Amino acid sequence: MTETLELARAAERQGAALMEKIALHLAGLCAPDGDLSIELMDQHQIVLFDFAGFAAQMAAADQLLSLAARSVQASKSDCSCLQDLAALYVAETLRDLRNTMSYRGAGFGLSKNDLKSHLERSDVADFLEAMLRPEAYCEFAGRIDNPDTIVEVDDLNEEQRALQTSLRRFAMDKIAPLAEDIHREDMLIPDQMIQDVAQLGCFGVSIPIRYGGLQDEEHPDHVAMVLMSEELARASFGTAGSLATRPELLAKALLKGGTEKQKNKWLPLIASGERLVAVAVTEPDYGSDVANLRTVARPVEGGWRLSGTKTWCTFAGRADVLMVLARTDPDREKAHRGLSLFIVEKPPEYGRSFSVRQDGAQISGRAIATLGYRGLHSFEVVFEDYFVSEEHLIGSEAGLGRGFYLQMHGFGASRLQTAGRALGLMMAAFEAGWSYARQRDVFGRPLIDFPLTQVKMARMAMLIEAGRRLTYHAAREMDLGGGEVQAAMAKLLTARAAEWITREAQQLHGGMGYAEEFPISRHFVDARLLAIFEGTEEVLALRIIARALLERAAGKSSRGQDVVI
């Protein structure tokens, strides 16, 4: 490794050691007898929320450093930009960690000596001082001549690079020209765009080849799914960039718990785009609190009757199929164990409301007006004693009570997709800000020549690359059968970064950034949703990331092992 990378890795290890101490302390608070208590976790929400955020940053720093080191060892190029981005991200992460712990360390179980032993060491302090100089940011920004080629190397294989190239060309040619009109007019995505996306194979990226998809079951490739999400969202976050998430959720649930008959019937239809999918899980009073859902499925001869209200059902009008999570066990004490998943067919509707009648029963829906994320329309959907045949219960009898687990399995992959969409949105905003800053003259000089602009550009590049490395890492972990926690981290990290990047890119536009005639205004309002859907950042931080890390810490602590964040 080069000296820069060696210093960055040495500093990162000190941060990792501190995070291990924090994890052990918090595990002791929340799992005093070895079993994690949600009630105790809730008492320490503020600390755990920050802990999860730092864990995601540290995971991204580790992946960025690892790629830089591999690239240098392979002698692919001097990799100077990648090294500088990695070192800069490590420095910012450790600065944030040190600053928080300097005045709140006691709440994390740290003493002043802990800080002195790790983040206030002279070698770490020297590294931070060298990397965080404004001149370092400006020097890096001066080397940006194309937002797409900042990093000299990546860790994609040739097949993935070819996919990325074809997706980018398709997105720019077919999707980008319509994106602004769809957003401004709040239009429904055109059928032609859906057909184009289907022909490209985007609906079958995660479906095995034997069911009509593109996925090699022996060698799965979730990075391909991320690339698809990133490139389509870069052209339009609210339309093509979001189309594949809904079929992904249903496909994962079917693959995990569906009968072979259900898989053979539905997966080819989903992969080809012949059946378009929407998801009906969230309810008006129960967002991320899925275990307490009120929609019920009452058993009747030959099937079930659904009653209840769902909300934020994106694409529910145009969709042919709804994936519905409902309570099949009337005993509410069973909470999430009493939920099951159903496939509900309906005719597609193109308006902002719909009603499907069925012998005195019905499904009705109305579109909810939103700030952004336009093109698919998000609906409130009401089921009134609507009949669903028994063959539409995912998993048949074996699926009773498994709905929560099946939909959570799907959400792991959808969060990975959402991180990919966030990357695409960030790239669109970064490119818009970079281009405008080069063209716009202020006080007789191009805006890009000012140090404040250069610092913003450097930080945008850094945040995008850190998020990309963590997202790709999560995708590869999913290839191995895991990755759900890493996907949650990637979604948390990229959602936060997207809000900052779109805000600063809009700021570079000045007053024109507030005008709808510039795409940056669309990027700004779209980014706000990222921290809300597919699991709010609070739920991801507390119920997924912190919980998993504390369970790991509690288990390893009881066995006398070191904790690895």
Side-chain angles (χ1 to χ4, degrees):
M1 288 196 294
T2 66
E3 182 180 4
T4 297
L5 284 182
E6 289 177 351
L7 292 172
R9 180 58 86 181
E12 184 269 342
R13 289 194 184 102
Q14 295 303 317
L18 206 63
M19 289 293 289
E20 288 184 4
K21 288 179 177 289
I22 293 171
L24 288 171
H25 171 73
L26 295 177
L29 291 178
C30 300
D33 58 357
D35 293 324
L36 200 62
S37 164
I38 298 300
E39 183 178 351
L40 290 175
M41 285 185 65
D42 285 344
Q43 293 177 21
H44 300 282
Q45 279 190 348
I46 295 173
V47 170
L48 290 175
F49 183 74
D50 289 342
F51 168 68
F54 282 125
Q57 287 181 255
M58 291 297 297
D62 175 63
Q63 291 305 311
L64 200 47
L65 283 172
S66 295
L67 175 62
R70 290 196 303 272
S71 300
V72 170
Q73 290 167 2
S75 300
K76 294 179 180 178
S77 71
D78 65 5
C79 305
S80 58
C81 282
L82 181 56
Q83 292 180 64
D84 289 347
L85 279 180
L88 182 58
Y89 189 76
V90 169
E92 285 207 3
T93 297
L94 296 184
R95 176 202 62 196
D96 295 345
L97 182 61
R98 183 188 65 184
N99 289 348
T100 298
M101 297 308 153
S102 67
Y103 62 91
R104 290 177 53 205
F108 292 83
L110 300 180
S111 66
K112 296 295 183 182
N113 285 334
D114 288 325
L115 274 181
K116 290 178 181 178
S117 299
H118 295 288
L119 298 187
E120 293 178 354
R121 293 163 41 129
S122 60
D123 56 339
V124 175
D126 290 345
F127 168 73
L128 296 185
E129 183 178 356
M131 289 307 306
L132 298 176
R133 293 176 299 112
E135 295 81 5
Y137 288 85
C138 295
E139 179 186 342
F140 180 85
R143 292 150 62 192
I144 300 175
D145 58 6
N146 184 337
D148 282 317
T149 57
I150 295 172
V151 175
E152 305 91 344
V153 296
D154 58 38
D155 47 358
L156 302 179
N157 60 39
E158 290 304 317
E159 186 175 332
Q160 290 165 342
R161 287 195 191 95
L163 175 65
Q164 182 184 54
T165 300
S166 64
L167 284 166
R168 185 169 300 169
R169 185 182 304 116
F170 166 81
M172 291 302 108
D173 291 346
K174 300 288 188 179
I175 298 171
L178 300 174
E180 281 301 299
D181 286 342
I182 290 173
H183 171 74
R184 292 180 204 166
E185 303 300 326
D186 200 9
M187 295 164 48
L188 183 64
I189 183 172
D191 278 353
Q192 185 59 55
M193 188 183 291
I194 296 173
Q195 292 168 16
D196 290 341
V197 170
Q199 289 174 5
L200 202 61
C202 294
F203 295 137
V205 169
S206 297
I207 294 176
I209 294 171
R210 63 190 171 115
Y211 296 118
L214 302 178
Q215 191 68 262
D216 183 340
E217 290 179 90
E218 293 186 5
H219 303 95
D221 185 5
H222 283 85
V223 173
M225 179 182 71
V226 172
L227 291 172
M228 174 199 70
S229 301
E230 181 177 351
E231 295 302 330
L232 297 183
R234 184 171 175 178
S236 175
F237 174 76
T239 55
S242 300
L243 265 179
T245 302
R246 271 135 290 282
E248 173 79 21
L249 286 164
L250 179 52
K252 288 289 187 183
L254 283 167
L255 288 167
K256 183 74 172 179
T259 65
E260 198 58 36
K261 182 178 180 181
Q262 289 171 336
K263 294 175 187 177
N264 284 316
K265 175 181 178 179
W266 290 107
L267 291 175
L269 295 173
I270 294 170
S272 67
E274 293 178 61
R275 291 292 184 272
L276 301 175
V277 180
V279 176
V281 171
T282 301
E283 296 186 4
D285 295 321
Y286 301 94
S288 297
D289 185 11
V290 175
N292 287 309
L293 297 183
R294 297 286 179 176
T295 296
V296 298
R298 177 171 54 88
V300 295
E301 184 178 353
W304 304 79
R305 287 197 175 272
L306 298 179
S307 296
T309 301
K310 297 290 185 177
T311 194
W312 301 119
C313 306
T314 302
F315 208 44
R318 176 64 182 83
D320 309 278
V321 172
L322 304 178
M323 184 182 87
V324 182
L325 185 65
R327 185 167 299 285
T328 48
D329 193 317
D331 183 1
R332 295 193 176 277
E333 292 297 317
K334 291 188 177 180
H336 61 277
R337 296 185 299 277
L339 302 174
S340 304
L341 270 180
F342 293 87
I343 297 173
V344 179
E345 295 183 85
K346 59 172 283 296
E349 298 286 346
Y350 289 79
R352 298 185 63 82
S353 64
F354 66 86
S355 179
V356 181
R357 299 188 180 278
Q358 179 202 73
D359 298 329
Q362 72 170 357
I363 306 175
S364 58
R366 67 169 185 88
I368 303 168
T370 57
L371 291 172
Y373 196 48
R374 297 171 179 172
L376 304 184
H377 298 334
S378 291
F379 285 80
E380 180 180 79
V381 178
V382 179
F383 298 89
E384 299 178 57
D385 213 29
Y386 196 81
F387 177 76
V388 180
S389 67
E390 57 190 11
E391 64 188 29
H392 286 71
L393 168 64
I394 294 181
S396 191
E397 279 193 39
L400 283 173
R402 295 190 63 212
F404 175 83
Y405 305 102
L406 295 178
Q407 69 94 26
M408 287 300 291
H409 176 69
F411 272 125
S414 73
R415 287 174 186 138
L416 184 63
Q417 270 199 344
T418 299
R421 286 189 281 168
L423 291 172
L425 184 59
M426 284 190 276
M427 279 301 299
F430 178 39
E431 185 175 34
W434 180 79
S435 297
Y436 190 84
R438 284 165 59 88
Q439 299 166 8
R440 173 67 168 164
D441 282 347
V442 180
F443 303 116
R445 297 166 59 188
L447 185 58
I448 195 71
D449 286 352
F450 289 88
L452 190 56
T453 302
Q454 294 170 357
V455 170
K456 290 180 180 184
M457 291 289 103
R459 291 202 75 241
M460 287 181 192
M462 174 196 74
L463 292 172
I464 290 170
E465 204 56 40
R468 182 173 284 131
R469 293 310 135 203
L470 182 56
T471 303
Y472 288 6
H473 170 64
R476 293 186 174 105
E477 288 295 306
M478 279 199 171
D479 290 345
L480 300 175
E484 291 192 2
V485 175
Q486 290 89 344
M489 285 183 173
K491 196 266 187 183
L492 178 71
L493 192 79
T494 55
R496 290 177 174 180
E499 283 200 55
W500 185 87
I501 287 173
T502 55
R503 191 262 185 199
E504 292 303 322
Q506 185 186 46
Q507 189 73 14
L508 289 172
H509 283 71
M512 297 312 296
Y514 204 64
E516 286 201 336
E517 64 186 88
F518 279 78
I520 191 61
S521 63
R522 166 168 56 95
H523 304 326
F524 177 70
V525 294
D526 282 347
R528 187 61 195 91
L529 182 61
L530 284 162
I532 298 173
F533 73 168
E534 305 291 348
T536 65
E537 69 172 345
E538 293 82 5
V539 168
L540 288 186
L542 297 172
R543 289 291 194 260
I544 306 296
I545 301 170
R547 182 174 184 171
L549 295 180
L550 294 195
E551 285 177 343
R552 186 185 307 167
K556 291 192 174 184
S557 176
S558 66
R559 297 192 296 271
Q561 297 178 0
D562 291 334
V563 181
V564 179
I565 298 298

